[in-house]
Amino acid sequence: MLHALLFDHIRDPDASWCCGRFGAIAEFHRDADEPVEIANGPAIAAATDRGAIRIEVLPSLRPVAYETISTCIESWGHGVALCLPHGLAAMSGRTVVTELGPDAASVRPQDRDALLFDLGLGGTQAEICVRSNDPEVIALLRSACGRPLLAQPRVLQHLPAMSPHRVFCSRLGRVEVYQPIPAPGGKSPEGPHTHVLPRLLANGLDHAATVPVPKGWLAGMTLFPAHPLLRATGETTAFDAARYDAFQSLMKRYGDPALVAGKQAAFAKSEDAAEGAEDETRRRALGFRIGQRQLKWLQSLGR
C-alpha cells in the first residue's frame, strides 16, 4: 500500500519532494509536459534533464502526514515526512569535505563515472554532496578535502559558479539537481533546485520545528502532495476540493490524531470546542487553527 502511494505521487507532476536537513535541502519538481523517465521496482525513481529522485521503500519506513500554519492567513502548509528509526536513518555525519569516488548509485547511468564529494555539512539523516566529471571542479574540491567547507572562502567563492550536480542522500534515497546554481542574490530556478543556508545550518537541527517527526525517528525525505491552494512554485490557484480530500485521507491514515481532532472541533463550530481547544494540547490547538482556515474554503463549496 505504501509503495503504491509513493509511486502514485512520483507519477504526479503536481507533487514535490525534498531531501536534506534543516538549512540544506534539495527539492525535486517537474512540469506536466516535461519528458521524464519513471521506474517502479524495489526502488521508485524519476529522472528529467533538470534533476532526479530515487526512493527506497524500506520495511521500517513510517510516513507522518502533517499540516502547518502558513504566513498567508488564508492558507496552510502540508507534507508527509518519510521517517526511519534513528538507528536506521543515521548517515555518516561527516564534517569535512570528503571525496567518495565514482557515484555508482546515481539515478541516471550516464552519471555513474562522475566523482562524488561529501561537502561535510554534518547532520544526522542526510549527506550533502556534489558530483562532477569536470577536471577543474574536481581539482577545486580535492583542494578542499579534509577541512570544513564553510571555513574555505576560495571554494565557497568559486564552486557555485561551476554548478556541479548536487546530490543529497539519505537512507531512503536521494534527490539530484542538475540545474545551475543561481548567482548570489539570484532567484532559484523553477523545477529541481537546492538551498544551502549556513545561518540555518548553524542551528544544528535535523528538521524544522513545525515538522512533527516522532521522537527517536528521522525524516530522510519529505513528500509534498499537490496542495489545494498552491502550485509547486508557490503561486496561488483556485481551491481544488479533490486535492484537499486526497490529503485529508492521508491525514486520517498517517496524521496526528490530536491535530485531526482539533480540526474536527473547528468544523463543528461549537463554542465549547472553540473555547476548549486552546486549553488542550498544542497539537489539538494547532489543528483547531488550521481547521478554521480550511472551513472557509469548504463553506465556499457548500460543504
Side-chain angles (χ1 to χ4, degrees):
M1 180 180 294
L2 181 54
H3 188 110
L5 171 68
L6 296 175
F7 184 59
D8 285 345
H9 283 88
I10 279 284
R11 292 187 297 174
D12 183 1
D14 294 315
S16 301
W17 307 79
C18 78
C19 180
R21 55 172 295 215
F22 188 65
I25 61 170
E27 301 182 29
F28 179 80
H29 316 267
R30 65 181 178 88
D31 297 335
D33 58 353
E34 184 175 8
V36 59
E37 293 186 12
I38 295 177
N40 184 21
I44 299 167
T48 71
D49 287 340
R50 300 188 294 170
I53 181 172
R54 179 192 293 123
I55 305 166
E56 304 284 348
V57 189
L58 301 179
S60 298
L61 172 57
R62 175 182 175 182
V64 177
Y66 64 91
E67 293 176 318
T68 61
I69 291 290
S70 67
T71 54
C72 173
I73 62 172
E74 295 187 337
S75 188
W76 60 93
H78 74 207
V80 182
L82 302 179
C83 304
L84 289 175
H86 188 285
L88 297 179
M91 299 290 280
S92 67
R94 297 183 186 95
T95 56
V96 296
V97 181
T98 305
E99 182 174 345
L100 302 179
D103 188 13
S106 68
V107 177
R108 303 187 305 180
Q110 63 263 41
D111 298 316
R112 290 174 188 165
D113 290 332
L115 295 182
L116 190 68
F117 291 81
D118 187 335
L119 294 180
L121 295 178
T124 308
Q125 83 267 27
E127 293 173 354
I128 313 305
C129 304
V130 295
R131 182 180 66 208
S132 183
N133 56 11
D134 183 315
E136 186 178 0
V137 176
I138 292 170
L140 178 67
L141 289 166
R142 282 178 170 165
S143 74
C145 284
R147 291 175 291 160
L149 175 69
L150 300 181
Q152 302 186 64
R154 186 177 74 88
V155 179
L156 292 172
Q157 177 184 357
H158 294 290
L159 189 61
M162 294 176 167
S163 284
H165 289 179
R166 279 80 74 211
V167 182
F168 287 32
C169 305
S170 77
R171 298 297 180 198
L172 287 174
R174 55 169 54 198
V175 169
E176 304 181 0
V177 176
Y178 314 141
Q179 297 201 98
I181 299 172
K187 182 180 178 182
S188 295
E190 293 185 7
H193 61 273
T194 54
H195 299 281
V196 177
L197 305 172
R199 179 177 59 84
L200 297 185
L201 285 171
N203 291 303
L205 301 176
D206 289 313
H207 59 270
T210 53
V211 180
V213 176
K215 185 176 181 179
W217 295 68
L218 293 169
M221 301 183 79
T222 303
L223 159 66
F224 298 98
H227 194 281
L229 282 173
L230 301 171
R231 302 183 189 277
T233 57
E235 299 171 311
T236 57
T237 186
F239 182 73
D240 189 317
R243 290 182 173 184
Y244 176 81
D245 291 339
F247 192 79
Q248 295 316 301
S249 69
L250 295 179
M251 282 297 298
K252 290 177 182 177
R253 185 184 304 170
Y254 302 120
D256 177 6
L259 189 147
V260 173
K263 287 175 52 173
Q264 292 304 317
F267 296 158
K269 294 183 289 186
S270 163
E271 291 186 6
D272 290 340
E275 292 173 358
E278 292 296 332
D279 297 329
E280 295 182 20
T281 65
R282 176 182 57 83
R283 293 170 294 143
R284 184 179 173 91
L286 174 63
F288 189 84
R289 294 174 61 200
I290 293 170
Q292 288 179 313
R293 295 190 178 193
Q294 295 176 349
L295 183 59
K296 169 189 172 180
W297 297 101
L298 296 175
Q299 288 176 327
S300 72
L301 299 178
R303 295 170 60 173

